[in-house]
Amino acid sequence: MGDYAYAAPTSLEEALSVLESQANDGQRTQILAGGTDVLVQMRSIDKEPRTLVDIKHIAETNALSIGTDEIFIGAAIPSAALNENDELKGLLPGLIEAADLIGSTQIQGRATIGGNLCNSSPAGDTIPALMTVSAVCVIASPGGSREVAVEDFVTGVGENCLESNEILVGLKIPRPGNNSADAYLRFIPRTEMDIAVAGAGVALTLDEGGTCTSARVAIGAVAPTVLLVEAASTALVGTKVDDDALNAAAAACSDAASPITDKRGTVEYRKKVVGVLCKRAGAIARDRASS
Amino acid sequence: MSKLHVTTSVNGQPEEVLCEPHQSLLDVLRDELGLTGTKEGCSTGDCGACSVTLDGRLVCSCLVLAAEAEGKEVGTIEGVANPDGLHVLQQKFLEHAALQCGICTPGFIVAAKVLLERDPNPDETTIRYWLAGNLCRCTGYDKIIRAVQDAATELAHEA
Amino acid sequence: MAEAHDLKVIGTRPVRPDGVEKVTGRANFGADLSLPGMIHGKVLRSPHAHARIKSVDVSGALAMEGVLAAVSGSDFAEQTDDLGRNVIARDKALYHGHAVAAVAATTPLLAEQALDAIKVDYDVLEPVLSIDQAIADGATLVNEEMHTNGDASQPASNVAAITKFERGDAEKGFAEADVVVEGEFRVPMAHQGYIEPHACTATINEEGKITVWCSTQGHFDVRTQTAAILGTSISKIKVIASEIGGGFGGKLSVYLEPLAVKLSELSNRPVRMVMNREEVFRATGPTSATWCKAKVGAKKDGTITAATAWLSYEAGAFPGAPVGPGCMSVLAPYDLENFSIEGLDVLVNKPKVAAYRAPGAPQAMHAMECVIDDLARELGMDPIDLRLKNAADEGTQAPYGPKFPAIGLKACLEAAKAHPNYTAPVPEGCGRGVACGFWFNIGMQSSAEVLIREDGTVIINEGSPDIGGSRASMCLMAAETLGIPYDRINAHVADTESTGYCNMTGGSRTTFATGMAVVQACEDIIAQCKERAAMTWDIDADQVDWDDGQAVPKPGVNADVDPLSLADIARTWGRTGGPILGRASVNAQGAGAGFSVNWTDLAVDRETGKVDVKAYTAIQDAGRAIHPAYVEGQMQGGAAQGLGWALNEEYIYDDNGVMENAGFLDYRVPVASDLPMIDTQIVEVPNPTHPYGVRGVGETPITAPLAATSNAVRDALGFRVSELPMSPPRLLEAIDSQEG
C-alpha cells in the first residue's frame, strides 16, 4: 500500500507531469478541486492512499471569462464565487442556481462545477444544467488539449471519459442570446443539504412572438447518468411553452427516466417527480426568456 | 509517510505546522495547534460544527486538507472576540439563550459572522438558508435566528 | 412556597455562568482533552447483523508498528450483564456495528488501519429485523435463552417482556360508546442526533487508579458501569464529566470508556477514543421502532367510555425497550374508567436501544393522539374541546396508579384555546393538527455543596452534567434563596471525587432534584449565617431572620445592630467559627408530571408530497420556569426533534440488517430552513413538592409533535397516513392511491 501525498502544481504542464510521474511510481492519483466529494469518499468509502493533485493553483482552472460568443468557467472556481458574479448569473441563471444548490454555504465555499461534473454522480446538480446550455469540457492531456460535449463526458455511475493522466480544465459554454434562458430545479426532502432525488434542467430560446425555437431538457438522479430528453425538447419547440406543451414535456421526462429505488426515493416517485420538475423548470425558463 | 510543512495564518497569527498529507485542517487546528473551539460532528461536511473561514470564505474545515491552508488566512471561533470583548454575535447568543449544549455554537457564530459581513440586513429566510449547513439539535433554531437578527440590528446601529 | 410576584430573580433571563466559555470555543467537550503521550483507540465492529463469533485474533494488529494494545471480548470479565455484552461482543455479534475488538495506536489513521489486520471468524446467522419477523411462528431467536417475562415453562421467544395496565372493563365501555375509532401506526427507529459524537480519554496509573474524561449525562453511572465491566471497584475510578454536546438520553450508558481504560492499561498510555458519525448511528442507542394499535370509544357528547392500546417496541439486541414509560404515557392525559394497555419488548438484531427524550412516549402517544383526533372529527368536536371534556386533573387516577396532584393539562388546553395562533384561521392551503404531550418526570438522588468565598461570593458544586443550561437555573435558585445577586454565584459540575453522589441528568430531574439539593444547601448556609450573626450580636440564633441576603434580628428582638450580609459574615468568619459551607442531599420525591398541548399548521405539495411547516406552537406547564428562556429552549428543541421524526427521520435497513443512511446526509434532521419560528407559552401550575414549584420540562416537548404533525397532514390531505416518517415519497404514494 502506498502512502498519502499532496501536490500543488502551479501550471498545467506541471500538473500533467505530476500525474505521469506518480503513475510511473505505481502511486494512485486523484485530482483535487473543492474536495467536498473527494475527501468524503477518501475517508469513508474508498480508503486507498493516493496522491492528491490540487489544481487550485493553476491559472487556467481558475479562469472565468465572459466573451461575446463564449463563456469559460474554470474547473477550480468555487460555486460561491460564481454566485457572486452578477453578469454570469444573468446569463446562466439555471446553471448558477444549480451550483448554488449543492450543499450548504460552507460546501459552496469549496465545491466546484468541475468537481461536481467529474464526480459524475447520477444526481450531480450541475450536470443537467450544463447539458441544457450545451457546455463543452476542455480537457488537458499529455498529448495536448481535447474537448468533449458534456453529454458525452459522463459514462456511467461515478465514471467519466477522463483518463487518469488527464485534467478537466474548465467548461466552455456558448453565450446565450437574448430571449434565451435556463432553469434548474431539483427535488429534495428537506429545504437544503440533501442529494437530489430528481432534477430537471430546461434551457430554451423564444422568438419575438414568444414561440419556442429551441429547447434542451435534461433530467438527473433518475438514471445511471444524466439524460438529455429529445422528446421533451420536441414537445416544447414550436409552442408557446403553455401548460399543454409543458405537460407533454413532463410526460416525456417521466417516460425517459429509468431510476432505481434507494434510500432517497422509489422508482415510481422519481419518475413522477422528475416530470413535475420539468414542468416547473420549463415555466421558469420561459418566464426568464420572455423578460 | 513524510510530513508536510505548512505555513499558514490563523486568526491573524502566523503558524507553521507539520502535518500528514491526508490530515484535514480540522485535525490540525485541534490536534497540532490546540485550537479545540472548532468541533468535529460528522467529518462529511453535513453538520457545520467545524466551520471556519478560509481567506474570508465560510468552509467546513473537515473538508479542507491542512495542506490546502498553505499561504491562506484561517479564521476560527477563537478569533471572533476582539481585544475589547465579545463580538456582538457572541453577546446576542448569550442574551437570547441561543445555545443549550453549546457544541454547535462556534460553528454558528463563525457562519453568522460571515453572513453579517456580507449582508448587514438579512431577512429571516436568508438567515435560515445561509445557516442551513449548521445543524443544531437542541434549540430548534428559533433563538439562534433571533440572536442573529438582533446582532444585525445592533451592528447596523453601530455602523 | 413563594408566590410568583414575590420572586426576585427566578423567572428572569440572565446570561448563563458557562456562557462566555461556550461562545468563545473555550469550553472543553469530550474530544477536547489531550494528555501527554496520548494514543488513539478505534473499534472493530461486526459486519454482520447476527453471527456467532468463533474466534477473534488480534495478533496481526499487535504486530504493526505503532499499535500498542489490542483487545477483544475475551479480555474482559465474564459478563452476565447486557451492558457489558453490548460494550464488546462475547460469543455472538448481535447487530451490524456491534463492537468485537479494539486497538490503540500512536495515530488515529494507524489505529484504523490496524483494524484491518484483526481476524474474526464468524458463523453468519439469519438476522431478525422487525417486530413482525420477531413474533412470527418459527422466528429465528436473537437470544436462545430468552423467555417472555422469564417464564421458562414457555418456549424461548424474541418477546422479552409483556407489560399490562388495566382498569375497569374496556369491552363494556366500547359497547356503551356511540362512536368507536381505531387505528394502527408505525413509527421508525430514530436517533437522538446529538451533534457531539461519543468521546473519552482514559488513563490508569501504576497503582490501578483510573481517570476517565468523557462526554456523558451521568458520570457517576460511568463510574459504576465501567467498574462493573472491568471487574474493578468504583473506588479506583474517577470520572470527570466534560461539557456535553447533546445527549437526549443517548449518553446514559457507556460504549467506549471500558474499552479505553483497558487499552490504557495494556499500553501504559492515556487513550483517547472518539466515535465517528457513522459509528454513532450504527452502534450507539437509537430509540425503538414501534408498531402500535389504539382504539377509543366515546358518547356523542365526547365523554370517552373506553380506550385500549397495543404497543410493541423493538428493543434491539438486548431487552429494555421503553415499554413501561410508553404504557404509562399513552393515556395519561385522560380521565378514564375503562382501559387496557399492553406493551411488548421485542428483540431484533439491531443496536440496543437507549433512552431518547421521554423514551417510549412519543411513539405511544402518537397512536393515541391520532385516534383521539379522528374521534373529534367523527363527533364534530373541536380537538381541544374533546380533550378538555376528558382531561386528567388534580385527583384523577393516572393510568399507572397514583392520583395526580395539581397538574396543568387543563390550564394548557385553556391557554391553547385562547391563543391567537389557535383562534387564527388555518392559512389557505394548510392543515392544522393538535396533540397533547406528557411526561411523568422523576426525582431520584442529587447532592450539592455550596461554598462561600471570603468575600461572600458563592460557589455551587453539584454533579449534574449540564445539557441545557441547568447551571444558570442552579445559580438563580441559589440567588433567590440566599437573597444575593445572581452574578455573585457560580456553579460547577464537579467530578465524582469532588461532589456527592448524583444520579444522571435525565428524566427531566435536574432543575427539580438537583435544584432541591442546591436550595437545601443554601438553607444550610442561611442557618449557619444566622448562628454567626447571633454570636456576633450575642443573641440566640432563633432570634435572627434572614431577609434579602442579610441577617437581621427578628422583629421585636431588642438589638440595635446593623444587618449583616453574607459578605460581612464571611469576612469575619474566622472570629465566629471558621469557613462556612453548606451541603444537602436528596432522594427527591414528588416530581410533578408535565403536560403540554402543541399544534402546527402545514401545507402539503400534492405533486411532490413535500411538507412545508408554516407554524408551530407549544404550550407547556413548567410548574415554575426558573429561567424562562431555557424552558422555552426545551420546548422548541423537543418540537424540532418531533417534527424531524414525523417528517423525515428514520433508520433505513437493508435485508442484511445494515443501516443504509448512517450519516447526516441521509439521516435527515431538520435544518434551519426547514422550520418556522416555534412559538411557546409557559403555563405555571406550581409543583408543591419543590421549593419553587418546579416541574421537569425537558422531555414533555417531544411527546406531542409526532401526532400534531400527523393530524395536520390528515387535515391538509383529507385522509390519514399512519406510517412515519411522512416523507415525500410516502405522502405522494398515499395521495396518488387516494386519487387513483
Side-chain angles (χ1 to χ4, degrees):
Chain A
M1 197 198 292
D3 280 337
Y4 287 98
Y6 171 85
T10 52
S11 71
L12 273 180
E13 294 92 302
E14 193 190 339
L16 290 169
S17 153
V18 168
L19 290 177
E20 184 162 340
S21 65
Q22 291 292 297
N24 290 341
D25 289 345
Q27 170 82 335
R28 180 177 161 188
T29 57
Q30 189 165 19
I31 304 291
L32 176 69
T36 54
D37 283 319
V38 169
L39 264 53
V40 173
Q41 290 161 7
M42 195 173 90
R43 286 195 198 121
S44 43
I45 302 168
D46 164 19
K47 300 186 192 180
E48 194 188 345
R50 69 206 72 172
T51 297
L52 291 160
V53 181
D54 186 346
I55 59 160
K56 295 192 290 294
H57 302 273
I58 298 170
E60 290 90 331
T61 55
N62 284 292
L64 175 64
S65 67
I66 301 174
T68 46
D69 297 318
E70 193 175 89
I71 296 166
F72 182 83
I73 301 177
I77 303 176
S79 300
L82 297 177
N83 217 359
E84 286 156 8
N85 188 315
D86 286 335
E87 194 186 357
L88 195 61
K89 273 162 70 165
L91 288 168
L92 296 168
L95 175 62
I96 304 309
E97 241 159 25
D100 191 39
L101 284 170
I102 303 171
S104 59
T105 312
Q106 289 89 337
I107 297 296
Q108 280 154 35
R110 301 291 284 170
T112 67
I113 288 183
N116 192 243
L117 177 60
C118 289
N119 191 43
S120 304
S121 161
D125 287 306
T126 62
I127 307 178
L130 284 169
M131 279 196 194
T132 62
V133 299
S134 306
V136 167
C137 308
V138 176
I139 297 168
S141 40
S145 166
R146 68 187 181 102
E147 296 189 355
V148 174
V150 76
E151 57 265 34
D152 298 326
F153 182 84
V154 179
T155 55
V157 176
E159 287 166 11
N160 57 55
C161 69
L162 275 184
E163 302 292 342
S164 56
N165 61 359
E166 295 183 312
I167 301 169
L168 176 71
V169 180
L171 284 312
K172 236 167 52 169
I173 300 165
R175 182 183 174 126
N178 293 335
N179 301 333
S180 292
D182 65 337
Y184 172 78
L185 289 176
R186 68 174 188 176
F187 182 82
I188 53 170
R190 293 180 290 183
T191 53
E192 265 285 4
M193 298 303 286
D194 293 324
I195 301 282
V197 174
V202 177
L204 43 79
T205 306
L206 305 175
D207 69 13
E208 299 291 310
T211 301
C212 176
T213 56
S214 76
R216 279 166 77 87
V217 178
I219 54 178
V222 290
T225 64
V226 175
L227 301 175
L228 262 180
V229 187
E230 292 282 349
S233 307
T234 311
L236 294 176
V237 170
T239 74
K240 296 245 198 274
V241 194
D242 56 7
D243 269 358
D244 286 339
L246 287 169
N247 283 334
C253 285
S254 295
D255 283 341
S258 61
I260 57 170
T261 290
D262 70 2
K263 62 195 174 216
R264 297 179 186 134
T266 59
V267 167
E268 302 73 28
Y269 185 75
R270 287 174 148 128
K271 267 179 160 312
K272 169 134 194 215
V273 171
V274 79
V276 172
L277 294 175
C278 164
K279 189 171 166 184
R280 295 179 182 180
I284 295 172
R286 173 200 66 208
D287 294 343
R288 280 178 178 158
S290 318
S291 63
Chain B
M1 203 182 321
S2 55
K3 296 210 176 191
L4 300 172
H5 178 234
V6 175
T7 306
T8 183
S9 169
V10 181
N11 300 326
Q13 298 298 316
E15 298 284 357
E16 287 184 40
V17 277
L18 287 178
C19 64
E20 313 255 315
H22 67 279
Q23 266 185 300
S24 67
L25 176 58
L26 175 65
D27 290 340
V28 161
L29 285 170
R30 289 178 54 80
D31 298 334
E32 310 300 330
L33 294 174
L35 295 169
T36 56
T38 307
K39 306 299 180 191
E40 176 166 340
C42 74
S43 278
T44 51
D46 295 310
C47 78
C50 69
S51 298
V52 299
T53 58
L54 194 62
D55 280 354
R57 258 200 210 294
L58 182 65
V59 300
C60 281
S61 59
C62 70
L63 294 186
V64 176
L65 294 175
E68 294 177 279
E70 174 72 37
K72 298 209 179 285
E73 174 66 49
V74 179
T76 73
I77 182 66
E78 287 90 348
V80 168
N82 57 63
D84 302 325
L86 296 177
H87 187 280
V88 171
L89 269 169
Q90 291 167 312
Q91 190 57 44
K92 293 303 176 187
F93 265 63
L94 291 175
E95 286 168 20
H96 285 266
L99 57 144
Q100 288 179 31
C101 79
I103 192 84
C104 72
T105 305
F108 267 100
I109 289 177
V110 169
K113 179 165 177 274
V114 178
L115 171 64
L116 296 184
E117 283 161 1
R118 280 156 194 263
D119 182 355
N121 190 21
D123 63 16
E124 182 185 337
T125 303
T126 303
I127 298 172
R128 286 184 180 277
Y129 276 88
W130 182 272
L131 296 175
N134 290 78
L135 296 184
C136 175
R137 198 55 164 163
C138 293
T139 67
Y141 304 106
D142 183 296
K143 293 182 188 299
I144 290 175
I145 306 301
R146 292 183 198 277
V148 175
Q149 289 172 324
D150 196 8
T153 306
E154 178 143 331
L155 286 167
H157 282 147
E158 283 175 13
Chain C
M1 186 196 325
E3 292 293 314
H5 53 261
D6 294 329
L7 296 169
K8 303 224 170 53
V9 292
I10 282 176
T12 63
R13 298 168 183 247
V15 169
R16 58 198 282 171
D18 54 307
V20 172
E21 299 296 278
K22 292 210 160 146
V23 297
T24 55
R26 286 196 191 89
N28 287 321
F29 291 81
D32 294 337
L33 179 75
S34 264
L35 292 175
M38 186 174 77
I39 61 176
H40 303 269
K42 294 279 174 196
V43 179
L44 179 70
R45 299 184 178 281
S46 169
H48 306 293
H50 194 194
R52 253 178 258 287
I53 299 172
K54 285 155 69 181
S55 64
V56 183
D57 178 3
V58 301
S59 58
L62 281 169
M64 289 169 64
E65 185 167 341
V67 176
L68 304 185
V71 295
S72 68
S74 54
D75 291 293
F76 289 81
E78 193 47 47
Q79 280 296 320
T80 50
D81 178 63
D82 286 345
L83 182 63
R85 281 185 283 149
N86 192 41
V87 164
I88 191 154
R90 312 304 161 115
D91 53 334
K92 256 184 153 193
L94 290 166
Y95 54 94
H96 179 264
H98 197 174
V100 170
V103 301
T106 50
T107 70
L109 179 66
L110 265 172
E112 264 216 47
Q113 289 171 340
L115 297 181
D116 292 334
I118 298 177
K119 295 198 199 1
V120 186
D121 193 5
Y122 294 103
D123 221 343
V124 182
L125 302 167
E126 185 77 25
V128 181
L129 297 173
S130 68
I131 295 168
D132 310 60
Q133 279 178 24
I135 63 178
D137 285 331
T140 303
L141 291 171
V142 175
N143 179 348
E144 289 97 343
E145 272 140 67
M146 178 63 61
H147 299 269
T148 308
N149 293 349
D151 182 358
S153 73
Q154 296 300 312
S157 167
N158 287 319
V159 179
I162 300 180
T163 303
K164 292 191 207 224
F165 292 154
E166 275 169 351
R167 181 188 297 161
D169 182 342
E171 285 316 305
K172 181 157 159 293
F174 284 131
E176 288 165 7
D178 294 317
V179 172
V180 175
V181 174
E182 57 188 311
E184 192 171 324
F185 303 88
R186 302 263 185 179
V187 173
M189 271 170 82
H191 196 273
Q192 301 85 350
Y194 35 83
I195 305 300
E196 180 205 25
H198 295 253
C200 68
T201 300
T203 185
I204 183 168
N205 75 6
E206 288 74 5
E207 53 176 352
K209 285 214 172 122
I210 297 163
T211 307
V212 175
W213 161 281
C214 61
S215 168
T216 177
Q217 291 172 246
H219 46 322
F220 286 88
D221 288 334
V222 171
R223 182 175 75 179
T224 311
Q225 293 167 14
T226 303
I229 291 169
L230 294 176
T232 187
S233 86
I234 57 174
S235 64
K236 293 279 201 189
I237 306 180
K238 170 166 120 173
V239 184
I240 305 166
S242 69
E243 296 294 337
I244 168 175
F248 312 108
K251 289 183 180 165
L252 293 173
S253 297
V254 295
Y255 296 96
L256 297 173
E257 290 79 357
L259 302 176
V261 173
K262 185 61 94 173
L263 290 167
S264 180
E265 184 184 26
L266 292 170
S267 63
N268 202 21
R269 303 276 281 271
V271 173
R272 175 197 278 172
M273 294 185 78
V274 181
M275 284 198 191
N276 63 37
R277 182 52 54 181
E278 222 190 293
E279 289 177 291
V280 173
F281 277 115
R282 294 194 195 286
T284 57
T287 191
S288 305
T290 58
W291 175 18
C292 295
K293 303 180 197 178
K295 184 171 167 182
V296 68
K299 296 258 187 236
K300 270 199 287 274
D301 70 351
T303 311
I304 296 175
T305 57
T308 58
W310 181 83
L311 313 169
S312 63
Y313 291 79
E314 284 183 15
F318 301 91
V323 179
C327 290
M328 287 168 69
S329 307
V330 65
L331 286 169
Y334 305 103
D335 183 357
L336 302 173
E337 279 179 24
N338 305 305
F339 66 75
S340 148
I341 304 167
E342 184 177 82
L344 273 64
D345 187 14
V346 183
L347 298 186
V348 291
N349 288 109
K350 294 182 182 176
K352 176 174 172 37
V353 300
Y356 176 15
R357 204 167 199 162
Q363 299 97 318
M365 295 187 81
H366 171 255
M368 191 56 72
E369 291 298 295
C370 285
V371 153
I372 296 276
D373 187 63
D374 286 343
L375 177 65
R377 197 169 285 104
E378 282 263 345
L379 294 170
M381 271 182 91
D382 171 275
I384 299 208
D385 284 338
L386 175 59
R387 287 171 171 89
L388 272 167
K389 185 127 184 103
N390 296 278
D393 203 358
E394 182 168 359
T396 302
Q397 192 186 11
Y400 47 93
K403 287 202 159 64
F404 282 125
I407 52 172
L409 174 58
K410 282 194 172 157
C412 288
L413 288 164
E414 300 285 9
K417 255 189 101 150
H419 197 288
N421 291 1
Y422 196 76
T423 55
V426 181
E428 183 70 37
C430 289
R432 176 175 292 166
V434 179
C436 280
F438 162 83
W439 191 245
F440 43 89
N441 297 326
I442 63 175
M444 292 177 72
Q445 302 175 81
S446 291
S447 308
E449 303 85 39
V450 178
L451 315 177
I452 312 297
R453 298 194 190 85
E454 318 91 278
D455 62 356
T457 57
V458 175
I459 301 164
I460 301 171
N461 268 357
E462 37 97 350
S464 288
D466 187 347
I467 58 179
S470 50
R471 277 166 290 188
S473 299
M474 299 306 152
C475 293
L476 279 165
M477 286 184 277
E480 191 73 50
T481 309
L482 292 170
I484 66 171
Y486 171 85
D487 61 12
R488 289 174 73 79
I489 307 177
N490 208 345
H492 299 293
V493 177
D495 68 55
T496 56
E497 306 273 284
S498 308
T499 186
Y501 184 77
C502 192
N503 282 128
M504 77 321 178
T505 296
S508 309
R509 64 177 295 273
T510 307
T511 315
F512 175 70
T514 303
M516 202 184 277
V518 168
V519 169
Q520 288 182 16
C522 290
E523 288 166 349
D524 184 12
I525 301 269
I526 291 170
Q528 294 176 61
C529 285
K530 287 182 185 176
E531 279 175 12
R532 305 302 181 97
M535 209 180 292
T536 306
W537 296 332
D538 203 19
I539 59 178
D540 290 329
D542 60 12
Q543 294 179 299
V544 179
D545 264 349
W546 186 264
D547 191 26
D548 221 9
Q550 299 179 318
V552 293
K554 275 190 156 63
V557 169
N558 192 7
D560 182 19
V561 289
D562 290 326
L564 284 172
S565 69
L566 185 53
D568 294 330
I569 294 169
R571 231 191 329 273
T572 58
W573 64 25
R575 284 188 257 133
T576 58
I580 293 176
L581 44 115
R583 70 162 190 49
S585 68
V586 299
N587 187 352
Q589 305 300 309
F595 285 89
S596 70
V597 179
N598 289 191
W599 65 98
T600 182
D601 295 343
L602 52 80
V604 184
D605 181 333
R606 281 174 172 270
E607 287 189 310
T608 63
K610 190 157 175 177
V611 171
D612 182 9
V613 180
K614 306 274 199 200
Y616 198 97
T617 313
I619 302 188
Q620 186 173 330
D621 172 21
R624 173 97 64 216
I626 302 298
H627 192 309
Y630 289 108
V631 174
E632 290 160 0
Q634 293 299 311
M635 294 163 72
Q636 292 166 333
Q641 287 179 315
L643 281 163
W645 198 351
L647 293 174
N648 268 311
E649 292 178 43
E650 59 179 326
Y651 267 56
I652 301 172
Y653 276 98
D654 70 13
D655 293 333
N656 295 317
V658 180
M659 184 189 185
E660 293 184 327
N661 60 333
F664 277 134
L665 177 61
D666 289 305
Y667 182 88
R668 293 184 262 270
V669 305
V671 298
S673 43
D674 290 335
L675 298 176
M677 293 295 187
I678 300 170
D679 292 335
T680 59
Q681 182 180 340
I682 300 172
V683 156
E684 291 183 324
V685 175
N687 174 13
T689 61
H690 184 277
Y692 293 113
V694 164
R695 283 174 206 280
V697 296
E699 289 168 284
T700 299
I702 200 178
T703 58
L706 270 64
T709 310
S710 284
N711 292 338
V713 170
R714 165 67 180 86
D715 190 39
L717 291 181
F719 59 88
R720 185 169 289 285
V721 174
S722 303
E723 185 169 352
L724 298 187
M726 292 176 290
S727 55
R730 190 165 278 133
L731 281 187
L732 190 61
E733 193 184 332
I735 290 167
D736 286 347
S737 57
Q738 286 282 322
E739 291 171 355

